Amino acid sequence: RMKYFTRLRVRRVYEWRGAALGFNRKLQTYEYGVEGLPHSTVISAGQHILIEGDDDDNPYVARVVRLFADESGAQKKAVVQWYVRVSEVPPGKLKLLGRNPHPQEVFFYEGRSCEDEVNAESVLRPVQVTDAFQFHSKITMLTLTEGLSGKNNHLLFLSNVNLPKRNQLNAGPKTPRTHHHATPSIPNRAQPARRPGNILEEARARLHVSAVPESLPCREQEFQDIYSFVESKVLDGTGGCMYVSGVPGTGKTATVQEVMRCLQHAAEQDEIPPFVFIQINGMKMTDPHQAYAQILQKLTGQKATADHAAALLEKRFSHPAPRKETTVLLVDELDLLWTRKQNVMYNLFDWPTRRHARLVVLAIANTMDLPERILINRVASRLGLTRMSFQPYSFKQLQQIVTSRLNKLKAFEDDALQIVSRKVAALSGDARRCLDICRRATEICERSAARLVGMSHVMQALDEMFSSPYVAAIRSASTQEQLFLRAVIAEFRRLGLEEATFQQVRSKHQALCRVEGLQPVGVSEGLAACRRLGACRLLLLEPSCLGVLQRVRLNVSQDDVLFALKAD
């Protein structure tokens, strides 16, 4: 931290002189010593000082206005006037100088958004101002000599230049500028795709799940609510957490990412204060604790172990820092960050509640009540989550999504498109599954040399999708095996995970047996049914020597299981 002291370890000596130590009683000086140097350093009102920050190479620069102690007298504080460095000023503002500034110059900051009280322990050293002279009617040049390093810096005082907007901590809550009746849009491709040769080929390309549509229909209200939530937090300089839930394929991630793209554009246009946006995905981590290291690296560029990163993030979000911008963190696939001690999820929900965090967390998961189930022993109610639930698409919404993808391209008969939408809506409401079936129907239609996708093509695609060998194996399974598969899905939805132990699934299995009026099976019979499903590759099992503690995963999609059981 002490870059210019060749990283000598600091030993602070709190010797205060002047008035008695009382709440808001002014103090004259603050003295501390540095090991390896012969004299202690004295800080007094009116001096310019360097204050430790996130970047060790570029500490904050400020001028001491006054010194005081808190009510107990144990904590010493300083009221300061802040300056900003060249790197923090937008290039357009620097043009007002009419010259190229020195990299070490700093500028007087007139904004009221940052806190002007700092702990005296964060003071690194004083800098002495010498040789002040008038440079321009609005600009004063000051030359700084660092007291102990002997190096020269330049301090540029801009008295009438507006610097970039900051979050207004001292201002009252602002009314967000909402986008009424807005439909989330999707940015264009970086490179255009190959032009299709006919209508069916073009329809197949547009219906691919990886194709970038022009908009996201049927999610206008969700887009508006998420936009207003994040915008209000950025405007007020406060923190918060929104928990976004819904079954797969309902547009959660796409909607949130489009909200953030619109907010970043608004910040670039100076419509809202600047903020930092980062995102992580639980599916891309081999261990949930890697979330700490990824968040820290994306925030500061610093690499650290998971434990060290967790400690640094805890400090960052718990202590005030001057000129701290709001951080918006998007956590996708939150349910995969489950740990036995539940500490990763708890920290992600708890950090935004800290007074000085300025952290907004957007957490996306499949289970609606995951926070209560995971954090029931960690007082989840006090976290104050704002919830957003994405309901499964209805058949009319699925039909609208496919129609918007086709964009007036006449490739389907109306009845054919309606039957696909109704079939998928009855099972899961997953838009991706609906697009896959429609895309497969275009391939079948093209093979038959027909011009439009009709009912026969759609029915064949549905049969292929839901009549695979896995579906046939599920339909031919015994009653207890089918009940066990239903118990697996029920337990997955309860946990919000795609994995569970046999013991957890067995509890659901026994409950389903009672509901169906059957005698609950014992442990050995349940294990036998589980192993038969594993032998058919309907389930993926850990080694059987683990017994009731072995983990169970599905080897087929939940839609296929539900379709097979529902049809049966």
Side-chain angles (χ1 to χ4, degrees), residues 130-166:
T130 59
D131 300 332
F133 60 92
Q134 192 68 19
F135 180 75
H136 189 272
S137 60
K138 295 182 179 180
I139 302 174
T140 303
M141 172 71 76
L142 302 172
T143 302
L144 287 181
T145 301
E146 296 191 1
L148 294 177
S149 68
K151 295 184 179 180
N152 291 332
N153 288 331
H154 297 284
L155 174 68
L156 188 63
F157 178 80
L158 300 182
S159 59
N160 294 315
V161 177
N162 292 325
L163 291 177
K165 296 180 180 180
R166 307 264 177 160

Side-chain angles (χ1 to χ4, degrees), residues 298-415:
K298 293 182 178 182
L299 271 180
T300 65
Q302 180 180 356
K303 293 184 178 180
T305 63
D307 292 339
H308 187 204
L312 293 176
L313 291 173
E314 177 72 22
K315 178 182 178 182
R316 180 186 181 93
F317 297 131
S318 300
H319 297 85
R323 306 195 303 275
K324 181 190 290 186
E325 293 179 340
T326 298
T327 300
V328 181
L329 171 62
L330 169 58
V331 183
D332 203 357
E333 304 290 350
L334 176 73
D335 38 15
L336 298 180
L337 297 182
W338 181 88
T339 59
R340 188 174 299 276
K341 293 184 179 180
Q342 306 167 359
N343 54 344
V344 176
M345 285 189 186
Y346 179 78
N347 286 332
L348 291 175
F349 289 141
D350 184 57
W351 281 338
T353 65
R354 309 286 176 84
R355 177 183 176 187
H356 303 289
R358 292 199 185 184
L359 174 65
V360 181
V361 172
L362 299 174
I364 302 178
N366 296 331
T367 306
M368 181 178 298
D369 54 351
L370 179 64
E372 285 75 17
R373 291 175 176 175
I374 294 296
L375 305 175
I376 189 171
N377 296 325
R378 308 294 291 271
V379 197
S381 59
R382 75 174 181 87
L383 297 180
L385 296 176
T386 300
R387 299 179 184 275
M388 170 62 62
S389 178
F390 279 64
Q391 298 299 321
Y393 289 112
S394 64
F395 87 91
K396 290 185 178 180
Q397 290 176 326
L398 290 173
Q399 193 170 353
Q400 182 180 347
I401 290 171
V402 176
T403 303
S404 66
R405 288 265 186 151
L406 294 175
N407 192 17
K408 300 181 180 179
L409 186 68
K410 186 62 176 177
F412 281 78
E413 295 179 359
D414 294 338
D415 292 342

Side-chain angles (χ1 to χ4, degrees), residues 172-180 224-236 263 271-272:
K174 298 182 179 179
T175 302
R177 292 177 293 277
T178 56
H179 295 250
H180 296 288
Q224 181 62 57
D225 292 343
I226 298 173
Y227 189 101
S228 300
F229 173 81
V230 180
E231 184 189 39
S232 64
K233 300 301 182 183
V234 174
L235 286 172
D236 298 340
L263 286 170
E271 296 177 2
I272 61 175

